[in-house]
Amino acid sequence: MTTTSDPDLSGLETDVCVVGGGATALYGALLCARAGRSVVLVSPQPGFEAAGAGISPLLAPPTLGLLAASGIDEQLTAAGREVLGVDDHGSTGMLSSWRYADHAGIARPYGLTVPTGTTVQALLAELRAQPSATVLSGERVVSVEQDAERVLLGFEGTAGQDGDGSARRRIAARYAVAADGRQSALRDLVGVRPEVSAFDRPAWLLVAPDVPGRESVLLVRHRAPRALFTIPTPGPSSAIVWSPDRDQEEQLEQGGPAALAEQVKEVDPELSEWLGTVGGRTSPVMRLGFSLWRAPSWRVGRVLLVGESVHGLHTLGGQGLNQSLQSAASAAAAIDAALASGDPAAVEEYERVRRPHVERLQDLQWNLQALGYGTAPAVKGAHEDFIDVMTALPAALAAQLAGGDRRA
């Protein structure tokens, strides 16, 4: 394995070039390397997110099973916090209550909230241990050309310099993966423009110490149109996501944690009282905007688009990160199958397997009552329509991963 940030003029040749520096990029690169392929990962950032840094999204059991097979289970478990399931309350009582342990055949009887930096560093360490992997940082992709045999990518340095857009390093790859996020430079270079649809309802986030004695479950309290989500996070603490009525939004902008504590009193009086006692130990209140996006194509020739470069979801249930990591696994399996068979058409299986599943989940989220301003009393739990997504891999993806595992 080689690690460098020196943007020289030398060229590299590799089976797979992955562009991006987050967990999705690292995971896809690691799977390709473990399949015996030469891999170059290029991050536009000069460094990688530190362990313990970042938010702590929920990793669902299917994703935890995939990541455990990559050798990072111990690090995730040590840094994360178990989430046992979901309790969802409406205006007249419990709408639904379920636990991961009640679902047969799942990888884990719990989800796990883990800081994004911890996942990044664990995957990076595994990637660095692969002899066929090269890691470059502080270089952004500025050009791409391809023919029937390879992709030629040009990069320039980003650390401490403006650059003129001309390539200072060239990498020739048999396949390239755009895993560089929502503002993907590689996706833009191959001419793909995603369609973005914004949810009309924002939310406000506050991180606070846990209310004593509460079970470690994702707690939803939906008193239409208001919705409160409380997600257990490492600490122990809770990420409190509050979607108020329209006439309460300006108060939150001005009043901070105290205003949020007052507003949730009718929905969750115990939490409201607790926030009043720990006011100096909470985070500031942060406004969140939500959108989903879809790209018209997940592949352009030998360039595959993965994760948030191609699809975006609402943060509900942590499915943005889960679907991105699962898409990285699917893309890596399809690339390996194409390289093993010598048939470029094998990469088409990536989009065929993943796209319908992700877009179905997007449709479910788009129509969820809890994510809008509707005032009709809730009759269904916010997560009921995609419990299966959060507990098991789609059959087609599981089969693809099983068939694409060519590790020695």
Side-chain angles (χ1 to χ4, degrees):
M1 196 285 307
T2 303
T3 302
T4 180
S5 58
D6 175 24
D8 60 32
L9 289 168
S10 64
L12 291 172
E13 293 188 2
T14 187
D15 289 328
V16 185
C17 179
V18 179
V19 177
T24 301
L26 289 160
Y27 183 50
L30 176 60
L31 292 178
C32 290
R34 284 205 167 151
R37 307 302 172 186
S38 59
V39 180
V40 179
L41 178 135
V42 188
S43 171
Q45 303 303 321
F48 295 88
E49 192 173 25
I55 61 173
S56 296
L58 177 70
L59 294 173
T63 309
L64 287 174
L66 292 174
L67 294 175
S70 297
I72 66 170
D73 189 48
E74 183 176 344
Q75 298 95 312
L76 299 183
T77 302
R81 182 174 179 193
E82 292 185 7
V83 179
L84 304 179
V86 175
D87 282 347
D88 200 318
H89 300 262
S91 56
T92 59
M94 187 80 76
L95 293 172
S96 66
S97 178
W98 58 269
R99 300 293 180 267
Y100 288 112
D102 296 333
H103 294 262
I106 63 172
R108 298 291 171 86
Y110 55 82
L112 203 65
T113 48
V114 184
T116 51
T118 298
T119 306
V120 163
Q121 287 298 321
L123 289 167
L124 180 60
E126 289 294 323
L127 183 61
R128 284 175 168 158
Q130 305 305 310
S132 64
T134 299
V135 177
L136 308 175
S137 61
E139 300 187 30
R140 64 172 173 262
V141 61
V142 294
S143 65
V144 58
E145 302 173 37
Q146 58 178 314
D147 56 28
E149 300 296 327
R150 67 175 189 169
V151 184
L152 182 62
L153 301 153
F155 296 85
E156 68 171 7
T158 60
Q161 54 186 291
D162 293 333
D164 60 4
S166 60
R168 303 185 67 198
R169 183 196 299 278
R170 286 181 169 79
I171 298 175
R174 296 171 72 184
Y175 291 96
V177 176
D180 47 344
R182 181 174 181 176
Q183 306 301 325
S184 171
L186 181 51
R187 178 199 64 210
D188 291 347
L189 285 168
V190 296
V192 175
R193 301 290 183 268
E195 178 184 344
V196 181
S197 301
F199 286 85
D200 64 355
R201 185 176 196 176
W204 279 260
L205 169 68
L206 176 74
V207 179
D210 274 345
V211 177
R214 287 194 170 181
E215 188 178 9
S216 187
V217 299
L218 196 161
L219 182 62
V220 183
R221 295 189 185 275
H222 186 195
R223 302 281 182 88
R226 295 161 295 166
L228 176 68
F229 301 85
T230 307
I231 305 100
T233 55
S237 59
S238 293
I240 298 161
V241 181
W242 171 236
S243 294
D245 204 348
R246 290 182 192 272
D247 60 7
Q248 297 176 302
E249 294 177 358
E250 185 175 348
Q251 298 169 11
L252 281 174
E253 296 289 349
Q254 304 297 325
L260 189 147
E262 179 63 28
Q263 288 186 9
V264 302
K265 182 183 295 184
E266 186 178 349
V267 176
D268 190 338
E270 182 183 37
L271 174 62
S272 176
E273 182 179 356
W274 174 249
L275 290 176
T277 68
V278 297
R281 297 158 56 195
T282 73
S283 72
V285 175
M286 179 186 301
R287 186 183 187 276
L288 305 175
F290 305 104
S291 59
L292 63 80
W293 56 95
R294 294 174 171 174
S297 175
W298 287 30
R299 179 178 67 89
V300 178
R302 289 177 171 262
V303 178
L304 281 67
L305 313 181
V306 169
E308 291 196 339
S309 73
V310 70
H311 55 69
L313 294 100
H314 195 285
T315 60
L316 182 65
Q319 288 305 303
L321 179 58
N322 282 280
Q323 296 307 314
S324 291
L325 291 170
Q326 291 176 29
S327 289
S330 184
I335 289 172
D336 185 51
L339 291 172
S341 65
D343 180 7
V347 296
E348 296 174 6
E349 286 298 286
Y350 161 58
E351 183 171 353
R352 187 191 69 80
V353 168
R354 289 297 299 161
R355 183 169 185 160
H357 177 74
V358 172
E359 293 191 349
R360 176 175 175 270
L361 178 55
Q362 288 178 319
D363 290 341
L364 289 170
Q365 286 192 335
W366 186 255
N367 292 301
L368 280 176
Q369 182 184 6
L371 303 183
Y373 285 110
T375 58
V379 297
K380 180 182 284 191
H383 296 82
E384 282 190 70
D385 286 333
F386 55 95
I387 291 173
D388 289 344
V389 175
M390 299 174 67
T391 56
L393 292 174
L397 174 58
Q400 182 182 67
L401 297 179
D405 188 354
R406 301 176 185 277
R407 285 174 288 170

